Amino acid sequence: MADLGLVKTLAGAFGTNEASLTLILGLLAGYPLAYFQRQFLFGKSATLHHVYFTLTGLGILYANFGTDILHHVICVFTNYLLMKTIGPKLLSVQLAFLFNMGYLLAGYHFCASNTYDILWTTPHCVMTLRLIGLVTDHFDGGKDPAEQSADQKKLGLTRTPSLLEVAGHSFHFGGVLVGPQFPMRMYLDMIEGKLTDNSEGKRPACVVPALKRMALGLAYTVVFAILNGYYYDDYMTEPAFFESSWLQKYLFVLIWGKVMLYKYVGCWLLAEGSCILSSLTYNGRDEQGNPLWDSCKNIKLSKFEMVMSFQDVIDSFNINTNKWAAHYVYKRLKFLNNRMLSQLFTLVFLALWHGFHSGYYACFFLELVYVNAEKQAHALLKVSPLVSSAVRHPVARPVLLVALKLVLLAHLGYPLVPFALLKSAKWWQVHKSLYFTGHWPFLIFIAAAPFLKKLLKPRDTNTSKETKSD
């Protein structure tokens, strides 16, 4: 990491560590950089934009990770060579997956510890997906149009991008640290001036939307910094936690889980704001004709804060990564002809992308369990008209909604425990102290669901009548 004495002093004053504060400052640096681009580079040559994004992105990375930025440069150049030498072929995609994931996992192996560390692997996991997506889009663009899906026609690249284009796309300051993911086609559209809310050659009116996201990002970051002093990860490894009652532990995990997610929300909002300011996120207009700046949105705040189902959590949180996984992994597993297997392999890929710690796999396993238990519950409602009408009763419905919300809140933090504590020696003890109540009720329900469907399914009351022939 670069030696920044002032940052170290400020980190001590704010009660945080230097790496975390440098990361936040790197996200905030995107705003003056984006404003400069908007004011002085708008309408200028594409080459100037590519050079600007490359140098500023590398500068942010150097301020955070010093000479370790060499890892990012190596991978960007290697992926460019794959496209240039092999062309839009399946082999290039296969090699891109193997090389990028292999490089990232090697970084985890040699650099990771038993706790969360902000190292060069932090932004590199984001770059890994971006580079894999880039080579895959290059492959998709070379397909026969009749073989392309709607998404592949939208994102596919019909030519091999230049090294400067690949570098500018990879090191764009808005997404170089924590995301969001955005395809090369979107980046090139921004460079060409297509992502704007006016057609008169004027600068896009994106300053106010960008500042709003920045304000929200700072608010969530401050809230996390304050509450994290009371609801912090390591408390779940201390004797005081295990000496408390079951209910006290569950309440702690419930609140802690929400607080823990706020650090991600804050970072994503800050990153999104600088992307908006650079006009990267323009997404057309709504029904009222208002410009939309949400194509890089990684969090749906209102839905996230008011979730009523586990699927709502997935749909509102880490949106761009979920979209990436759906487009580049899940949909390409159609040959399995099994949605459950496709979903399982996608989650295994995402867990591996996070690292080797058992906590990642335990977390994604619980995600799979919760979502499928929820789907089974919805299926039961469709099977039984009696149950369906009962839950829609004006008296029963409010009670059921409150119960569902309580179940959701009670199990929001539970799967995040292994994600945060990483090592099984830590998170297993926490789940054990909670009597695995986030596991067995859902697993039992999934196992019992087929029998419940048979039990609740209405019997056919039509009886066959024999007709007598004369």
Side-chain angles (χ1 to χ4, degrees):
M1 178 179 292
D3 183 14
L4 302 176
L6 178 59
V7 173
K8 187 174 182 179
T9 303
L10 290 173
F14 288 120
T16 185
N17 59 71
E18 185 180 353
S20 297
L21 184 57
T22 307
L23 182 72
I24 296 298
L25 291 176
L27 294 172
L28 290 173
Y31 289 86
L33 293 174
Y35 188 76
F36 180 90
Q37 173 221 342
R38 180 182 181 277
Q39 291 298 113
F40 302 106
L41 301 185
F42 181 79
K44 298 295 192 299
S45 72
T47 300
L48 190 59
H49 278 86
H50 299 319
V51 171
Y52 180 73
F53 290 132
T54 300
L55 294 179
T56 53
L58 284 171
I60 290 174
L61 287 171
Y62 183 80
N64 279 267
F65 310 106
T67 56
D68 282 340
I69 64 171
L70 182 62
H71 296 292
H72 312 304
V73 174
I74 290 172
C75 289
V76 167
F77 185 68
T78 301
N79 282 269
Y80 167 73
L81 285 180
L82 284 176
M83 292 186 291
K84 190 68 176 176
T85 58
I86 298 177
K89 297 180 180 179
L90 181 60
L91 177 62
S92 64
V93 177
Q94 294 168 336
L95 291 176
F97 263 92
L98 290 173
F99 173 77
N100 289 295
M101 285 298 293
Y103 201 105
L104 177 66
L105 294 176
Y108 287 150
H109 175 73
F110 289 108
C111 301
S113 66
N114 293 334
T115 59
Y116 275 103
D117 299 308
I118 299 178
L119 304 171
W120 66 268
T121 53
T122 302
H124 198 74
C125 70
V126 175
M127 186 170 289
T128 294
L129 298 191
R130 186 168 299 155
L131 292 173
I132 291 174
L134 171 63
V135 177
T136 306
D137 289 340
H138 184 235
F139 166 68
D140 289 340
K143 290 180 179 178
D144 187 305
E147 299 177 356
Q148 294 175 328
S149 67
D151 286 339
Q152 290 171 359
K153 290 178 181 178
K154 180 181 178 182
L155 301 179
L157 298 172
T158 56
R159 64 174 178 84
T160 302
S162 69
L163 178 58
L164 199 54
E165 287 174 328
V166 174
H169 171 243
S170 301
F171 294 118
H172 184 282
F173 49 75
V176 75
L177 287 176
V178 298
Q181 295 295 338
F182 50 87
M184 174 64 87
R185 283 284 291 268
M186 184 187 295
Y187 171 78
L188 294 177
D189 284 347
M190 177 198 67
I191 298 296
E192 295 169 8
K194 296 179 181 178
L195 300 183
T196 180
D197 58 339
N198 69 77
S199 57
E200 301 175 359
K202 297 180 181 179
R203 294 179 179 85
C206 53
V207 176
V208 173
L211 293 179
K212 286 181 178 179
R213 298 308 269 185
M214 182 184 74
L216 284 169
L218 289 173
Y220 271 91
T221 302
V222 170
V223 170
F224 168 75
I226 294 172
L227 295 180
N228 190 54
Y230 303 94
Y231 298 94
Y232 53 94
D233 301 352
D234 287 342
Y235 178 74
M236 291 180 290
T237 65
E238 297 175 1
F241 175 82
F242 294 100
E243 291 169 0
S244 57
S245 68
W246 178 87
L247 181 59
Q248 288 175 318
K249 284 182 284 193
Y250 229 114
L251 288 175
F252 176 88
V253 171
L254 185 157
I255 300 172
W256 163 84
K258 192 74 172 179
V259 172
M260 182 259 203
L261 294 179
Y262 279 178
K263 67 180 177 183
Y264 296 103
V265 175
C267 288
W268 291 337
L269 288 170
L270 291 175
E272 182 191 348
S274 64
C275 289
I276 293 174
L277 194 53
S278 69
S279 81
L280 179 65
T281 68
Y282 181 69
N283 198 24
R285 296 179 179 272
D286 62 17
E287 296 178 354
Q288 287 72 42
N290 300 312
L292 297 171
W293 300 97
D294 60 357
S295 62
C296 286
K297 181 183 291 185
N298 215 20
I299 182 77
K300 295 180 181 178
L301 282 179
S302 57
K303 191 171 186 177
F304 172 71
E305 295 294 354
M306 302 297 291
V307 289
M308 289 301 295
S309 68
F310 293 110
Q311 189 62 50
D312 283 348
V313 177
I314 296 172
D315 292 341
S316 64
F317 189 81
N318 207 1
I319 299 169
N320 274 284
T321 301
N322 291 336
K323 284 182 179 178
W324 189 99
H327 178 67
Y328 294 103
V329 182
Y330 179 80
K331 291 181 180 179
R332 295 170 196 269
L333 296 173
K334 283 184 178 179
F335 65 90
L336 296 175
N337 200 30
N338 188 305
R339 288 187 177 183
M340 177 66 77
L341 278 179
S342 297
Q343 187 179 11
L344 176 62
F345 285 134
T346 302
L347 290 176
V348 169
F349 171 81
L350 289 175
L352 185 63
W353 173 63
H354 281 86
F356 296 112
H357 293 297
S358 63
Y360 297 131
Y361 302 88
C363 176
F364 284 107
F365 167 74
L366 285 171
E367 176 186 324
L368 182 67
V369 169
Y370 290 174
V371 170
N372 280 280
E374 197 168 74
K375 288 180 179 178
Q376 295 288 351
H378 290 160
L380 286 177
L381 293 179
K382 294 179 181 179
V383 165
S384 174
L386 180 62
V387 175
S388 181
S389 60
V391 298
R392 286 176 171 79
H393 191 277
V395 176
R397 185 169 177 79
V399 176
L400 181 62
L401 289 176
V402 172
L404 289 174
K405 185 68 174 180
L406 290 174
V407 170
L408 177 64
L409 289 175
H411 296 89
L412 181 62
Y414 187 91
L416 294 175
V417 171
F419 191 91
L421 298 184
L422 301 178
K423 290 292 185 180
S424 59
K426 294 181 179 180
W427 62 260
W428 182 268
Q429 293 302 318
V430 177
H431 280 175
K432 182 180 178 181
S433 72
L434 296 172
Y435 304 112
F436 297 101
T437 44
H439 283 81
W440 58 266
F442 296 92
L443 293 171
I444 290 175
F445 175 75
I446 290 174
F451 303 99
L452 292 174
K453 286 181 183 178
K454 292 181 180 179
L455 182 65
L456 295 173
K457 187 176 182 179
R459 295 183 178 179
D460 188 2
T461 56
N462 295 325
T463 58
S464 58
K465 297 181 178 179
E466 295 181 0
T467 57
K468 296 182 179 179
S469 57
D470 295 331

